Amino acid sequence: MRTNNQARHILIKTYGCQMNVYDTEIMQRTLFPIGYKAATSEKKADIILINTCAIREKAEQKVFSYLGRLALLKQNRPELIIGVCGCIAQNIGKKLIQRSPCVDFVVGTHAIFQLPSILDDMYRGKNTKKVFTNFNEFINEIDLVNSPVIDSKISGFVTIMRGCNNYCAYCVVPYVRGPEISRKAEDIINEIKQKIDKGMREVTLLGQNVNSYGKKEGMISFVDLLAQVNQIEKLKRIRFTTSHPKDLNTDLINAFGNLEKLCTHIHLPVQSGSDKILKRMNRKYSRSDYLKKIRDLKKRCPTISISSDFIVGFPGETDEDFEESLSLIKEVEYDSLFAFQYSDREIAPAAKYSPKVDEKIKRQRLIQLLDVQSKNTVKRNLSCVGNHYSVLVEGKSKKESDQWTGRTSGNKIVNFVAPDNKKNLTALLVDVKIEKACAHSLRGYLCPTK
Ligand code: 5AD
Ligand code: SF4
């Protein structure tokens, strides 16, 4: 508990994925109720916590360059406290302090729940230069039941499981987030309800591999969890991410269409179109297994939007292997995708794989791949023109104040105008007719609800 009554101001800088965004929220939920306040800038902060990402080298470089700037700030204000949290903290622990001496303490992915006592001890001069990177084995120790929701956006995140057991050859996640642990369904439902009271209408259930929710603990299946979430009053939409293709089963495919609140979008990262590379990546499915699941999804839900992740330049990827990724993209016709140049992570097995692909070739492949996808995106977006979509309104468009913005069930951003600009449409599901397809969004106008 805090010993000093004067409010201390905390700035939390977040890097990386949605899981980190959620962890930042947890940090706020544990610290704000006991007296800490949000700082609006680095200059006004007494404490700066950095929630870091270790997925690729570039993500790490960003964090170290931010730490470089903070070191200068700390020269003028030695009382400023700097804590590094998240995946880099978990991965390199003590080395972080050796590399960046301005860092006061290091808090790994499982220890964020101890932040109140870590900070309290810090102010009593006890915790300087300490590292907290032990993994907790039990969900009770890392659950969030005791930290009430502070606020929520219209579209919010709720973590349903942490960690990953898949050990893809390129990936740091199983090492920095530990083995899979699922939260109890009742805690998840409770958190969703709390967020609904604060204005949330769409939830994205988060996990590294949501399909294996509850398996280790012998709890209800992911599809049963979805069915329970589907019944929550006032909740309008459900999304989830990420789904591992090897575990996408018929029950989940059938949930599209059975559960009316489940959005018609799935993020199904394939990583590569080449069987040889998929095997070396330890993905445990083949190109044809993946394509079969895509066909089944499209059959079950013809309007489904599909997105994916690709890695280019994995060790041993030849021009022919890369061509197979391109042909897969053409065949699936993704709505959107994320593509990354392979980046060696010392802790992951692929760091030792050879032959490495030249950086220049990786860059060329990335550009080529994004170019092939941009044709798909244009085609998919153009196919929306003239149709009506149900859009969950998130608020006014930041760019154009006379427009509203929201998403379709298929996760496409829609900016639209309404005849009566005074009526507040935020949080409503409205009917929008699409007039125009832009590169990354759609434009339309509000239609009277039938
Ligand atoms: N290099 C490049 N991309 C990676 N990803 C994960 N690890 C690496 C790496 N070492 C990508 C994968 C994953 C996404 C979150 O990040 O595509 O799905
Ligand atoms: Fe990383 Fe593979 Fe786990 Fe995804 S499934 S987090 S890529 S190890």
Side-chain angles (χ1 to χ4, degrees), residues 55 163-175 180 207-209 242-246 269 271 281-283 309 311:
I55 200 95
C164 180
N165 294 345
N166 288 316
Y167 294 94
C168 300
Y170 49 80
C171 187
V172 291
V173 170
Y175 309 95
E180 286 174 6
Q208 303 299 342
N209 181 16
T242 294
S243 212
H244 194 304
K246 80 173 165 48
Q271 314 297 0
M281 286 178 164
N282 193 29
R283 291 290 288 177
D309 291 345
I311 295 178

Side-chain angles (χ1 to χ4, degrees), residues 83-138:
V84 180
C85 313
C87 294
I88 301 181
Q90 188 68 45
N91 196 18
I92 61 174
K94 199 164 71 199
K95 282 193 215 148
L96 240 163
I97 300 179
Q98 289 157 358
R99 188 165 160 189
S100 300
C102 68
V103 173
D104 292 293
F105 62 90
V106 174
V107 174
T109 50
H110 281 203
I112 54 168
F113 302 90
Q114 298 165 30
L115 271 169
S117 64
I118 292 173
L119 283 174
D120 208 41
D121 284 351
M122 178 89 225
Y123 275 107
R124 291 199 216 142
K126 279 200 206 160
N127 271 347
T128 45
K129 309 294 173 191
K130 270 206 180 167
V131 174
F132 303 86
T133 47
N134 285 346
F135 277 148
N136 300 311
E137 275 179 47
F138 304 105

Side-chain angles (χ1 to χ4, degrees), residues 208-222:
Q208 303 299 342
N209 181 16
V210 292
N211 309 86
S212 53
Y213 170 80
K215 279 192 183 151
K216 189 178 92 183
E217 292 83 359
M219 301 194 308
I220 60 168
S221 70
F222 178 58

Side-chain angles (χ1 to χ4, degrees), residues 17 54-57 170-173 242 267 269 271 283 309-312 338-345 348:
C17 65
I55 200 95
R56 286 170 290 275
E57 198 185 341
Y170 49 80
C171 187
V172 291
V173 170
T242 294
H267 184 63
Q271 314 297 0
R283 291 290 288 177
D309 291 345
F310 278 81
I311 295 178
V312 297
F338 300 94
F340 310 98
Q341 297 181 44
Y342 168 76
S343 163
D344 265 340
R345 308 279 67 207

Side-chain angles (χ1 to χ4, degrees), residues 253 292-302 304:
I253 294 176
K292 159 105 179 47
K293 293 194 181 183
I294 295 285
R295 279 196 303 274
D296 290 348
L297 277 163
K298 287 184 176 173
K299 206 160 146 202
R300 171 76 200 170
C301 179
I304 199 159

